[in-house]
Amino acid sequence: MSPALRRICALVRKEFLQVIRDPSSIAIAIVQPLFLLFIFGYGISLDATHVPVACVVDATGPNAREFIGGLYQSQYFSPRIYGSMAEAEQAMIKGDAMATIWIRSDFERQAMTGNGKIEVIVNGVDANTARLVQGYLIGHWGQWLLKQGATMGLELKPRIWFNAEVRSRNYLLPGIIAVIMTLTGTLLTAMVVAREWERGTMEALLSTPVTISEVIVGKVIPYFLLGMAGMGLSVLTARWLFQVPLVGSHWLLLAVSCLYMLAALAMGLFISSFSKNQFIAGQLAIITTYLPAFMLSGFIFDIHSMPTVIQWLTHIIPARYFVTILQTLFLAGDVHGLVIKNAVYMAGLAAFFLLLVARNSRKRLD
Amino acid sequence: MWTRVIALIIKEFLAILRDRKARITLIGPPIVQLIIFGYAATFDLKEVPYAVYDEDSSLASREFLARFEGANAFRKVAVLQKEDEIRQLIDTQQVLLVLHIPPRFQSRLTREGNAPVQVIIDGRNSNTAMLALNYVNEIAANFTLNMARQKGLSGPAAQLVVRAWYNPNLESQWFIVPGIVGLLTMVVTLMVTALSIAREREAGTFDQLLVTPMNPFELLVGKTVPGLVIGLFEGSIIVLLTVFWFGVPLRGSVPALYIGLLFFSLSIIGVGLMISSIAATQQQGLLGAFLFMVPAVTLSGFATPIANMPEIVQKFTLFNPFRYFLVVVRKVFLEGAGMELLLTEYLCMAAIGVVTLFTAALMFRRRMY
């Protein structure tokens, strides 16, 4: 065994002993991902069902009744009849109804000439839910129109690929795994290296014949394994507890996760290379990696909807590529072109950060 | 007694604001976050890329497709000639949806009165998929209505007229940005208070505090006031930016907003001081703050509605002060509410504040004797 290899082995062994003695690293790598996965998995959902809708029907004919009656069949609505618009408006103000449907008394007569009007008021404060409710109503109206009125019409046959039940959890959870792994990877290395400086043991290490690159390799190996254990646990939880399908190949998932873990660890090392204090390193890790991974990675807010300048900004965030890969591997399968393209960007960023780390960390004590 | 408390308050302010770096950290990052998140946190669809596969190429199909070209929400990126091109385009995310018009579209439309159109949507982001499908639905239904009116009706037909209250253009920004007022006030207040006692303990000055004639109540007041002042100050800056930078309308009464902000800050300070009196080091304080903050933000209705959560989780959110403040801030900003509509929220936040502050004081006491 060459001396360099022996030194690295010794460092790795030392690091493992430290992990076993001080379980805070295990807490960051294993407990934290599970805690976050539970909170996000149960807490974040964009599926609005059984939305309370106030109905005011002044018309008496069968067509209006047909329209309202259809709402009861839908899982999206839980309709309630109100006697007058004033009462319905009161319900909207109090938050008891998300939307009001108003069919006026002249509806039947107007409808026969094709000029009927079904009026809808939605509470627009929560714009996304309002849009979804509006969309459900439009879908309902389109079907009603085809069934009741028009002899000719266009029947839409939507097919939603990769997520036929349109369950938001299926796309949110893979994204959440990316966010969590970002936090775990950076926090692990950033805190551990900073701790070494704080306690003065880094200086002791530097006085030995180990080179700085050996120190870095000795740090990366154990925390890489620890981080991957957390990743594996998260994938299992998503798959079996939250029932997210995993269509793509497990090997490909493992390969890109390794690559991403490397990028996250490199970011952590980079942070620790200019902050030798655990507290600042921890805060920097949260502000510079966790928050961008949350807001700018496309995990919940679609990148295509952001302003152009912010879309550019997302390109320097490694989580963005990992989120795309994970969503694809979980739901769509092995789309090699897409996965490879994003993996190349991720590898590029990982190499960039590792290069910065190598430049920044020379053997010196200042 | 009050001179002692005032002295402690002054000392706290000096400890927090003495350092230039610390002053910048209190103001800089929150404002940068507000600006970036304010623009990034949007669910609004914009220029959805789509492809067209028209096997009919008739007058009717072109008329239908023209409606998409006129819509701002869509951007046509490809015209397909073969069916197997669809898979490739969607898989690689070059388009979000493909409109497939089968052959005989026009003849079926006019003769049989029922012409299918296939829409294939990438469901990897189910929210975006649903919103896009809704737009397609709307265009299709209007097309049907129009055709029916032109060619004669066989039954009743009606138009759906949708209006939105409070947020007529349904802009996500109006929903998210007022929420950020609460989010950042919480982050800053929690950071200031969660580390305050741990910092003293690390520096050894907590023992010095203990030998002064101060009782736990005075200590509590002395530690609460600076957090409150900083929280209210930070909150005010963000409210101003929300109104003047993002142009979100502030329709309700400003006092109603500030009463909410006051109670909210107090409840967060209580949580922060509790964390701080348990934590032995600043690092533990930071960890505790993080452990509180993640569920507090996730289970608040900040980005996704509480109504969508499982029943049990919904019950759990009743202990979350941020949940109540979000209601206050959104009702005041958008719905123009006054104090009378917000009494429940005030009361709940005040109750959480009293409990947490009281517990924190008890915990100081335990540490003192």
Side-chain angles (χ1 to χ4, degrees), chain A residues 116 118 120 122 131 141 149 151 155 157 159 161 171 278 302 305 328, chain B residues 44 113 115 117 119 121 124 128 156 158-159 161 163 165 170 283:
Chain A
I118 301 165
V120 174
V122 291
R131 272 230 183 84
W141 164 61
T151 38
E155 194 186 355
K157 303 232 183 236
R159 278 180 48 205
W161 277 5
Y171 92 91
Q278 287 190 69
D302 204 326
S305 306
T328 299
Chain B
D44 305 347
V117 169
V119 192
I121 301 193
R124 263 170 277 187
T128 305
Q159 207 177 343
V161 187
R163 268 187 307 146
W165 273 6
L170 295 180
Q283 196 185 323

PDB file of all heavy atoms in Angstrom, chain A residues 116 118 120 122 131 141 149 151 155 157 159 161 171 278 302 305 328, chain B residues 44 113 115 117 119 121 124 128 156 158-159 161 163 165 170 283:
ATOM      1  N   GLY A 116     -77.351  32.017 -22.585  1.00  0.00           N
ATOM      2  CA  GLY A 116     -77.388  31.854 -21.134  1.00  0.00           C
ATOM      3  C   GLY A 116     -76.065  32.247 -20.490  1.00  0.00           C
ATOM      4  O   GLY A 116     -75.026  32.263 -21.149  1.00  0.00           O
ATOM      5  N   ILE A 118     -73.762  31.559 -16.919  1.00  0.00           N
ATOM      6  CA  ILE A 118     -73.540  30.985 -15.593  1.00  0.00           C
ATOM      7  C   ILE A 118     -72.437  31.826 -14.976  1.00  0.00           C
ATOM      8  O   ILE A 118     -71.326  31.875 -15.495  1.00  0.00           O
ATOM      9  CB  ILE A 118     -73.101  29.514 -15.683  1.00  0.00           C
ATOM     10  CG1 ILE A 118     -74.167  28.704 -16.404  1.00  0.00           C
ATOM     11  CG2 ILE A 118     -72.809  28.939 -14.310  1.00  0.00           C
ATOM     12  CD1 ILE A 118     -73.697  27.348 -16.862  1.00  0.00           C
ATOM     13  N   VAL A 120     -69.749  32.989 -12.163  1.00  0.00           N
ATOM     14  CA  VAL A 120     -68.921  32.390 -11.123  1.00  0.00           C
ATOM     15  C   VAL A 120     -68.073  33.474 -10.478  1.00  0.00           C
ATOM     16  O   VAL A 120     -67.509  34.322 -11.164  1.00  0.00           O
ATOM     17  CB  VAL A 120     -67.994  31.305 -11.708  1.00  0.00           C
ATOM     18  CG1 VAL A 120     -67.034  30.796 -10.658  1.00  0.00           C
ATOM     19  CG2 VAL A 120     -68.791  30.180 -12.297  1.00  0.00           C
ATOM     20  N   VAL A 122     -64.850  33.636  -7.842  1.00  0.00           N
ATOM     21  CA  VAL A 122     -63.927  32.862  -7.015  1.00  0.00           C
ATOM     22  C   VAL A 122     -63.185  33.804  -6.082  1.00  0.00           C
ATOM     23  O   VAL A 122     -62.976  34.972  -6.401  1.00  0.00           O
ATOM     24  CB  VAL A 122     -62.881  32.066  -7.838  1.00  0.00           C
ATOM     25  CG1 VAL A 122     -63.533  30.945  -8.589  1.00  0.00           C
ATOM     26  CG2 VAL A 122     -62.120  32.982  -8.764  1.00  0.00           C
ATOM     27  N   ARG A 131     -57.254  29.308  -9.447  1.00  0.00           N
ATOM     28  CA  ARG A 131     -57.106  28.871 -10.839  1.00  0.00           C
ATOM     29  C   ARG A 131     -57.555  27.439 -11.013  1.00  0.00           C
ATOM     30  O   ARG A 131     -58.205  27.096 -11.998  1.00  0.00           O
ATOM     31  CB  ARG A 131     -55.641  28.959 -11.242  1.00  0.00           C
ATOM     32  CG  ARG A 131     -55.319  30.285 -11.763  1.00  0.00           C
ATOM     33  CD  ARG A 131     -54.598  30.211 -13.085  1.00  0.00           C
ATOM     34  NE  ARG A 131     -54.304  31.588 -13.408  1.00  0.00           N
ATOM     35  CZ  ARG A 131     -53.241  32.204 -12.928  1.00  0.00           C
ATOM     36  NH1 ARG A 131     -52.343  31.534 -12.240  1.00  0.00           N
ATOM     37  NH2 ARG A 131     -53.063  33.463 -13.170  1.00  0.00           N
ATOM     38  N   TRP A 141     -68.254  22.686 -17.093  1.00  0.00           N
ATOM     39  CA  TRP A 141     -69.104  23.430 -18.010  1.00  0.00           C
ATOM     40  C   TRP A 141     -68.980  22.887 -19.428  1.00  0.00           C
ATOM     41  O   TRP A 141     -69.982  22.706 -20.139  1.00  0.00           O
ATOM     42  CB  TRP A 141     -68.714  24.914 -17.942  1.00  0.00           C
ATOM     43  CG  TRP A 141     -69.203  25.769 -19.059  1.00  0.00           C
ATOM     44  CD1 TRP A 141     -70.496  26.004 -19.399  1.00  0.00           C
ATOM     45  CD2 TRP A 141     -68.397  26.504 -19.993  1.00  0.00           C
ATOM     46  NE1 TRP A 141     -70.549  26.860 -20.477  1.00  0.00           N
ATOM     47  CE2 TRP A 141     -69.273  27.184 -20.853  1.00  0.00           C
ATOM     48  CE3 TRP A 141     -67.023  26.669 -20.164  1.00  0.00           C
ATOM     49  CZ2 TRP A 141     -68.810  28.003 -21.879  1.00  0.00           C
ATOM     50  CZ3 TRP A 141     -66.571  27.488 -21.173  1.00  0.00           C
ATOM     51  CH2 TRP A 141     -67.461  28.133 -22.025  1.00  0.00           C
ATOM     52  N   GLY A 149     -76.289  21.071 -24.802  1.00  0.00           N
ATOM     53  CA  GLY A 149     -76.628  22.099 -25.790  1.00  0.00           C
ATOM     54  C   GLY A 149     -76.247  21.759 -27.196  1.00  0.00           C
ATOM     55  O   GLY A 149     -77.071  21.359 -28.016  1.00  0.00           O
ATOM     56  N   THR A 151     -75.127  20.557 -30.751  1.00  0.00           N
ATOM     57  CA  THR A 151     -75.124  19.330 -31.526  1.00  0.00           C
ATOM     58  C   THR A 151     -73.706  19.031 -31.947  1.00  0.00           C
ATOM     59  O   THR A 151     -73.342  17.883 -32.138  1.00  0.00           O
ATOM     60  CB  THR A 151     -75.943  19.488 -32.811  1.00  0.00           C
ATOM     61  OG1 THR A 151     -75.717  20.786 -33.293  1.00  0.00           O
ATOM     62  CG2 THR A 151     -77.366  19.180 -32.577  1.00  0.00           C
ATOM     63  N   GLU A 155     -64.686  17.327 -28.446  1.00  0.00           N
ATOM     64  CA  GLU A 155     -64.527  16.605 -27.190  1.00  0.00           C
ATOM     65  C   GLU A 155     -63.044  16.414 -26.893  1.00  0.00           C
ATOM     66  O   GLU A 155     -62.325  15.789 -27.677  1.00  0.00           O
ATOM     67  CB  GLU A 155     -65.227  15.249 -27.289  1.00  0.00           C
ATOM     68  CG  GLU A 155     -65.400  14.607 -25.944  1.00  0.00           C
ATOM     69  CD  GLU A 155     -65.965  13.204 -26.069  1.00  0.00           C
ATOM     70  OE1 GLU A 155     -66.296  12.783 -27.204  1.00  0.00           O
ATOM     71  OE2 GLU A 155     -66.086  12.544 -25.040  1.00  0.00           O
ATOM     72  N   LYS A 157     -59.894  14.903 -25.230  1.00  0.00           N
ATOM     73  CA  LYS A 157     -59.485  13.655 -24.579  1.00  0.00           C
ATOM     74  C   LYS A 157     -58.095  13.867 -23.993  1.00  0.00           C
ATOM     75  O   LYS A 157     -57.097  13.638 -24.667  1.00  0.00           O
ATOM     76  CB  LYS A 157     -59.427  12.516 -25.598  1.00  0.00           C
ATOM     77  CG  LYS A 157     -60.715  12.293 -26.331  1.00  0.00           C
ATOM     78  CD  LYS A 157     -61.101  10.833 -26.226  1.00  0.00           C
ATOM     79  CE  LYS A 157     -62.345  10.595 -27.025  1.00  0.00           C
ATOM     80  NZ  LYS A 157     -63.447  10.051 -26.478  1.00  0.00           N
ATOM     81  N   ARG A 159     -54.757  13.222 -21.994  1.00  0.00           N
ATOM     82  CA  ARG A 159     -53.988  12.103 -21.448  1.00  0.00           C
ATOM     83  C   ARG A 159     -52.801  12.694 -20.731  1.00  0.00           C
ATOM     84  O   ARG A 159     -51.983  13.365 -21.336  1.00  0.00           O
ATOM     85  CB  ARG A 159     -53.542  11.177 -22.575  1.00  0.00           C
ATOM     86  CG  ARG A 159     -54.669  10.219 -22.952  1.00  0.00           C
ATOM     87  CD  ARG A 159     -54.250   9.301 -24.072  1.00  0.00           C
ATOM     88  NE  ARG A 159     -52.960   8.712 -23.831  1.00  0.00           N
ATOM     89  CZ  ARG A 159     -52.171   8.287 -24.823  1.00  0.00           C
ATOM     90  NH1 ARG A 159     -52.527   8.427 -26.063  1.00  0.00           N
ATOM     91  NH2 ARG A 159     -51.021   7.730 -24.545  1.00  0.00           N
ATOM     92  N   TRP A 161     -49.540  12.130 -19.145  1.00  0.00           N
ATOM     93  CA  TRP A 161     -48.493  11.122 -19.090  1.00  0.00           C
ATOM     94  C   TRP A 161     -47.740  11.173 -17.776  1.00  0.00           C
ATOM     95  O   TRP A 161     -47.619  12.230 -17.164  1.00  0.00           O
ATOM     96  CB  TRP A 161     -47.496  11.363 -20.227  1.00  0.00           C
ATOM     97  CG  TRP A 161     -47.931  10.778 -21.529  1.00  0.00           C
ATOM     98  CD1 TRP A 161     -49.117  10.171 -21.787  1.00  0.00           C
ATOM     99  CD2 TRP A 161     -47.196  10.757 -22.742  1.00  0.00           C
ATOM    100  NE1 TRP A 161     -49.154   9.768 -23.093  1.00  0.00           N
ATOM    101  CE2 TRP A 161     -47.987  10.109 -23.697  1.00  0.00           C
ATOM    102  CE3 TRP A 161     -45.939  11.216 -23.126  1.00  0.00           C
ATOM    103  CZ2 TRP A 161     -47.568   9.915 -25.015  1.00  0.00           C
ATOM    104  CZ3 TRP A 161     -45.511  11.033 -24.422  1.00  0.00           C
ATOM    105  CH2 TRP A 161     -46.319  10.380 -25.366  1.00  0.00           C
ATOM    106  N   TYR A 171     -44.867  14.369  -7.795  1.00  0.00           N
ATOM    107  CA  TYR A 171     -43.776  15.186  -8.305  1.00  0.00           C
ATOM    108  C   TYR A 171     -43.083  15.960  -7.204  1.00  0.00           C
ATOM    109  O   TYR A 171     -41.913  16.295  -7.318  1.00  0.00           O
ATOM    110  CB  TYR A 171     -44.261  16.103  -9.435  1.00  0.00           C
ATOM    111  CG  TYR A 171     -44.733  17.480  -9.054  1.00  0.00           C
ATOM    112  CD1 TYR A 171     -43.849  18.551  -9.026  1.00  0.00           C
ATOM    113  CD2 TYR A 171     -46.060  17.730  -8.757  1.00  0.00           C
ATOM    114  CE1 TYR A 171     -44.288  19.821  -8.696  1.00  0.00           C
ATOM    115  CE2 TYR A 171     -46.500  18.985  -8.432  1.00  0.00           C
ATOM    116  CZ  TYR A 171     -45.612  20.030  -8.399  1.00  0.00           C
ATOM    117  OH  TYR A 171     -46.034  21.286  -8.072  1.00  0.00           O
ATOM    118  N   GLN A 278     -18.168  26.957  13.074  1.00  0.00           N
ATOM    119  CA  GLN A 278     -19.309  26.060  12.818  1.00  0.00           C
ATOM    120  C   GLN A 278     -20.602  26.818  12.634  1.00  0.00           C
ATOM    121  O   GLN A 278     -21.427  26.498  11.801  1.00  0.00           O
ATOM    122  CB  GLN A 278     -19.497  25.100  13.993  1.00  0.00           C
ATOM    123  CG  GLN A 278     -18.486  24.023  14.096  1.00  0.00           C
ATOM    124  CD  GLN A 278     -18.919  23.023  15.137  1.00  0.00           C
ATOM    125  OE1 GLN A 278     -19.877  22.291  14.952  1.00  0.00           O
ATOM    126  NE2 GLN A 278     -18.237  22.996  16.257  1.00  0.00           N
ATOM    127  N   ASP A 302     -42.465  26.125 -10.751  1.00  0.00           N
ATOM    128  CA  ASP A 302     -41.968  25.792 -12.075  1.00  0.00           C
ATOM    129  C   ASP A 302     -41.007  26.872 -12.581  1.00  0.00           C
ATOM    130  O   ASP A 302     -41.355  28.048 -12.585  1.00  0.00           O
ATOM    131  CB  ASP A 302     -43.173  25.664 -13.027  1.00  0.00           C
ATOM    132  CG  ASP A 302     -42.833  24.794 -14.206  1.00  0.00           C
ATOM    133  OD1 ASP A 302     -41.674  24.826 -14.639  1.00  0.00           O
ATOM    134  OD2 ASP A 302     -43.731  24.084 -14.689  1.00  0.00           O
ATOM    135  N   SER A 305     -42.007  29.418 -15.253  1.00  0.00           N
ATOM    136  CA  SER A 305     -42.907  30.524 -14.923  1.00  0.00           C
ATOM    137  C   SER A 305     -42.169  31.713 -14.323  1.00  0.00           C
ATOM    138  O   SER A 305     -42.754  32.759 -14.124  1.00  0.00           O
ATOM    139  CB  SER A 305     -43.952  30.064 -13.913  1.00  0.00           C
ATOM    140  OG  SER A 305     -44.616  28.921 -14.381  1.00  0.00           O
ATOM    141  N   THR A 328     -37.860  12.947 -13.471  1.00  0.00           N
ATOM    142  CA  THR A 328     -37.917  12.126 -14.671  1.00  0.00           C
ATOM    143  C   THR A 328     -37.742  10.649 -14.323  1.00  0.00           C
ATOM    144  O   THR A 328     -38.519   9.801 -14.759  1.00  0.00           O
ATOM    145  CB  THR A 328     -36.834  12.565 -15.667  1.00  0.00           C
ATOM    146  OG1 THR A 328     -37.094  13.922 -16.004  1.00  0.00           O
ATOM    147  CG2 THR A 328     -36.861  11.728 -16.920  1.00  0.00           C
TER     148      THR A 328
ATOM    149  N   ASP B  44     -47.979  30.974 -11.710  1.00  0.00           N
ATOM    150  CA  ASP B  44     -48.638  31.453 -12.924  1.00  0.00           C
ATOM    151  C   ASP B  44     -47.981  30.847 -14.158  1.00  0.00           C
ATOM    152  O   ASP B  44     -46.769  30.854 -14.276  1.00  0.00           O
ATOM    153  CB  ASP B  44     -48.547  32.981 -13.019  1.00  0.00           C
ATOM    154  CG  ASP B  44     -49.099  33.647 -11.785  1.00  0.00           C
ATOM    155  OD1 ASP B  44     -49.764  32.968 -10.992  1.00  0.00           O
ATOM    156  OD2 ASP B  44     -48.861  34.844 -11.611  1.00  0.00           O
ATOM    157  N   GLY B 113     -71.198  15.700 -35.065  1.00  0.00           N
ATOM    158  CA  GLY B 113     -71.342  16.645 -33.971  1.00  0.00           C
ATOM    159  C   GLY B 113     -70.457  16.356 -32.780  1.00  0.00           C
ATOM    160  O   GLY B 113     -70.636  16.932 -31.719  1.00  0.00           O
ATOM    161  N   ALA B 115     -66.386  15.652 -32.241  1.00  0.00           N
ATOM    162  CA  ALA B 115     -65.057  15.385 -32.769  1.00  0.00           C
ATOM    163  C   ALA B 115     -64.033  15.357 -31.652  1.00  0.00           C
ATOM    164  O   ALA B 115     -63.878  16.323 -30.944  1.00  0.00           O
ATOM    165  CB  ALA B 115     -64.685  16.468 -33.782  1.00  0.00           C
ATOM    166  N   VAL B 117     -60.466  15.500 -29.759  1.00  0.00           N
ATOM    167  CA  VAL B 117     -59.123  16.058 -29.907  1.00  0.00           C
ATOM    168  C   VAL B 117     -58.304  15.516 -28.757  1.00  0.00           C
ATOM    169  O   VAL B 117     -58.750  15.552 -27.615  1.00  0.00           O
ATOM    170  CB  VAL B 117     -59.143  17.602 -29.847  1.00  0.00           C
ATOM    171  CG1 VAL B 117     -57.740  18.146 -29.727  1.00  0.00           C
ATOM    172  CG2 VAL B 117     -59.837  18.181 -31.048  1.00  0.00           C
ATOM    173  N   VAL B 119     -55.230  15.567 -26.194  1.00  0.00           N
ATOM    174  CA  VAL B 119     -54.219  16.447 -25.600  1.00  0.00           C
ATOM    175  C   VAL B 119     -53.301  15.572 -24.767  1.00  0.00           C
ATOM    176  O   VAL B 119     -53.746  14.889 -23.859  1.00  0.00           O
ATOM    177  CB  VAL B 119     -54.849  17.480 -24.651  1.00  0.00           C
ATOM    178  CG1 VAL B 119     -53.836  18.533 -24.284  1.00  0.00           C
ATOM    179  CG2 VAL B 119     -56.080  18.078 -25.238  1.00  0.00           C
ATOM    180  N   ILE B 121     -50.254  15.561 -22.171  1.00  0.00           N
ATOM    181  CA  ILE B 121     -49.593  16.509 -21.279  1.00  0.00           C
ATOM    182  C   ILE B 121     -48.540  15.815 -20.442  1.00  0.00           C
ATOM    183  O   ILE B 121     -48.753  14.698 -19.982  1.00  0.00           O
ATOM    184  CB  ILE B 121     -50.623  17.183 -20.334  1.00  0.00           C
ATOM    185  CG1 ILE B 121     -51.675  17.908 -21.156  1.00  0.00           C
ATOM    186  CG2 ILE B 121     -49.954  18.132 -19.379  1.00  0.00           C
ATOM    187  CD1 ILE B 121     -52.525  18.833 -20.361  1.00  0.00           C
ATOM    188  N   ARG B 124     -45.253  15.364 -15.162  1.00  0.00           N
ATOM    189  CA  ARG B 124     -44.202  15.296 -14.153  1.00  0.00           C
ATOM    190  C   ARG B 124     -44.400  16.377 -13.094  1.00  0.00           C
ATOM    191  O   ARG B 124     -44.191  16.146 -11.925  1.00  0.00           O
ATOM    192  CB  ARG B 124     -42.818  15.446 -14.800  1.00  0.00           C
ATOM    193  CG  ARG B 124     -42.168  14.111 -15.045  1.00  0.00           C
ATOM    194  CD  ARG B 124     -40.949  14.242 -15.892  1.00  0.00           C
ATOM    195  NE  ARG B 124     -41.290  14.301 -17.304  1.00  0.00           N
ATOM    196  CZ  ARG B 124     -40.391  14.283 -18.277  1.00  0.00           C
ATOM    197  NH1 ARG B 124     -39.109  14.236 -18.001  1.00  0.00           N
ATOM    198  NH2 ARG B 124     -40.781  14.321 -19.536  1.00  0.00           N
ATOM    199  N   THR B 128     -48.554  22.229 -12.840  1.00  0.00           N
ATOM    200  CA  THR B 128     -48.439  22.879 -14.133  1.00  0.00           C
ATOM    201  C   THR B 128     -49.333  22.164 -15.150  1.00  0.00           C
ATOM    202  O   THR B 128     -50.009  22.801 -15.950  1.00  0.00           O
ATOM    203  CB  THR B 128     -46.971  22.846 -14.598  1.00  0.00           C
ATOM    204  OG1 THR B 128     -46.178  23.434 -13.576  1.00  0.00           O
ATOM    205  CG2 THR B 128     -46.778  23.588 -15.874  1.00  0.00           C
ATOM    206  N   PRO B 156     -80.073  23.928 -25.004  1.00  0.00           N
ATOM    207  CA  PRO B 156     -79.655  25.164 -24.363  1.00  0.00           C
ATOM    208  C   PRO B 156     -78.128  25.273 -24.342  1.00  0.00           C
ATOM    209  O   PRO B 156     -77.434  24.274 -24.306  1.00  0.00           O
ATOM    210  CB  PRO B 156     -80.198  24.998 -22.939  1.00  0.00           C
ATOM    211  CG  PRO B 156     -80.222  23.534 -22.726  1.00  0.00           C
ATOM    212  CD  PRO B 156     -80.540  22.918 -24.047  1.00  0.00           C
ATOM    213  N   ALA B 158     -74.928  27.942 -22.696  1.00  0.00           N
ATOM    214  CA  ALA B 158     -74.638  29.067 -21.823  1.00  0.00           C
ATOM    215  C   ALA B 158     -73.151  29.295 -21.751  1.00  0.00           C
ATOM    216  O   ALA B 158     -72.350  28.410 -22.028  1.00  0.00           O
ATOM    217  CB  ALA B 158     -75.182  28.801 -20.425  1.00  0.00           C
ATOM    218  N   GLN B 159     -72.835  30.517 -21.392  1.00  0.00           N
ATOM    219  CA  GLN B 159     -71.455  30.900 -21.270  1.00  0.00           C
ATOM    220  C   GLN B 159     -71.096  30.871 -19.795  1.00  0.00           C
ATOM    221  O   GLN B 159     -71.959  31.106 -18.949  1.00  0.00           O
ATOM    222  CB  GLN B 159     -71.353  32.328 -21.781  1.00  0.00           C
ATOM    223  CG  GLN B 159     -70.029  32.678 -22.318  1.00  0.00           C
ATOM    224  CD  GLN B 159     -70.061  34.086 -22.871  1.00  0.00           C
ATOM    225  OE1 GLN B 159     -71.132  34.665 -23.123  1.00  0.00           O
ATOM    226  NE2 GLN B 159     -68.899  34.644 -23.029  1.00  0.00           N
ATOM    227  N   VAL B 161     -69.093  32.751 -17.019  1.00  0.00           N
ATOM    228  CA  VAL B 161     -68.438  34.039 -16.799  1.00  0.00           C
ATOM    229  C   VAL B 161     -67.798  34.008 -15.412  1.00  0.00           C
ATOM    230  O   VAL B 161     -68.486  33.919 -14.413  1.00  0.00           O
ATOM    231  CB  VAL B 161     -69.446  35.197 -16.862  1.00  0.00           C
ATOM    232  CG1 VAL B 161     -68.730  36.520 -16.799  1.00  0.00           C
ATOM    233  CG2 VAL B 161     -70.290  35.081 -18.115  1.00  0.00           C
ATOM    234  N   ARG B 163     -65.449  35.649 -12.471  1.00  0.00           N
ATOM    235  CA  ARG B 163     -64.821  36.852 -11.906  1.00  0.00           C
ATOM    236  C   ARG B 163     -64.078  36.431 -10.651  1.00  0.00           C
ATOM    237  O   ARG B 163     -64.506  35.511  -9.961  1.00  0.00           O
ATOM    238  CB  ARG B 163     -65.888  37.860 -11.483  1.00  0.00           C
ATOM    239  CG  ARG B 163     -66.255  38.864 -12.553  1.00  0.00           C
ATOM    240  CD  ARG B 163     -67.169  39.899 -11.978  1.00  0.00           C
ATOM    241  NE  ARG B 163     -68.319  39.310 -11.307  1.00  0.00           N
ATOM    242  CZ  ARG B 163     -68.885  39.842 -10.220  1.00  0.00           C
ATOM    243  NH1 ARG B 163     -68.389  40.928  -9.679  1.00  0.00           N
ATOM    244  NH2 ARG B 163     -69.941  39.280  -9.670  1.00  0.00           N
ATOM    245  N   TRP B 165     -62.686  37.699  -6.981  1.00  0.00           N
ATOM    246  CA  TRP B 165     -62.665  38.740  -5.966  1.00  0.00           C
ATOM    247  C   TRP B 165     -61.256  38.938  -5.438  1.00  0.00           C
ATOM    248  O   TRP B 165     -60.497  37.986  -5.388  1.00  0.00           O
ATOM    249  CB  TRP B 165     -63.528  38.309  -4.777  1.00  0.00           C
ATOM    250  CG  TRP B 165     -64.961  38.644  -4.896  1.00  0.00           C
ATOM    251  CD1 TRP B 165     -65.582  39.166  -5.977  1.00  0.00           C
ATOM    252  CD2 TRP B 165     -65.958  38.457  -3.897  1.00  0.00           C
ATOM    253  NE1 TRP B 165     -66.922  39.313  -5.720  1.00  0.00           N
ATOM    254  CE2 TRP B 165     -67.174  38.899  -4.439  1.00  0.00           C
ATOM    255  CE3 TRP B 165     -65.948  37.969  -2.584  1.00  0.00           C
ATOM    256  CZ2 TRP B 165     -68.362  38.859  -3.720  1.00  0.00           C
ATOM    257  CZ3 TRP B 165     -67.125  37.926  -1.871  1.00  0.00           C
ATOM    258  CH2 TRP B 165     -68.329  38.379  -2.430  1.00  0.00           C
ATOM    259  N   LEU B 170     -55.673  37.024 -10.684  1.00  0.00           N
ATOM    260  CA  LEU B 170     -55.172  35.803 -10.055  1.00  0.00           C
ATOM    261  C   LEU B 170     -53.647  35.724 -10.099  1.00  0.00           C
ATOM    262  O   LEU B 170     -53.084  34.762 -10.592  1.00  0.00           O
ATOM    263  CB  LEU B 170     -55.794  34.568 -10.716  1.00  0.00           C
ATOM    264  CG  LEU B 170     -57.310  34.417 -10.541  1.00  0.00           C
ATOM    265  CD1 LEU B 170     -57.797  33.176 -11.233  1.00  0.00           C
ATOM    266  CD2 LEU B 170     -57.693  34.363  -9.071  1.00  0.00           C
ATOM    267  N   GLN B 283     -24.847  26.757  18.607  1.00  0.00           N
ATOM    268  CA  GLN B 283     -25.124  25.810  17.530  1.00  0.00           C
ATOM    269  C   GLN B 283     -26.417  25.043  17.796  1.00  0.00           C
ATOM    270  O   GLN B 283     -27.240  24.855  16.906  1.00  0.00           O
ATOM    271  CB  GLN B 283     -23.970  24.845  17.406  1.00  0.00           C
ATOM    272  CG  GLN B 283     -23.999  24.096  16.102  1.00  0.00           C
ATOM    273  CD  GLN B 283     -22.906  23.057  16.063  1.00  0.00           C
ATOM    274  OE1 GLN B 283     -21.808  23.276  16.562  1.00  0.00           O
ATOM    275  NE2 GLN B 283     -23.207  21.931  15.482  1.00  0.00           N
TER     276      GLN B 283
END
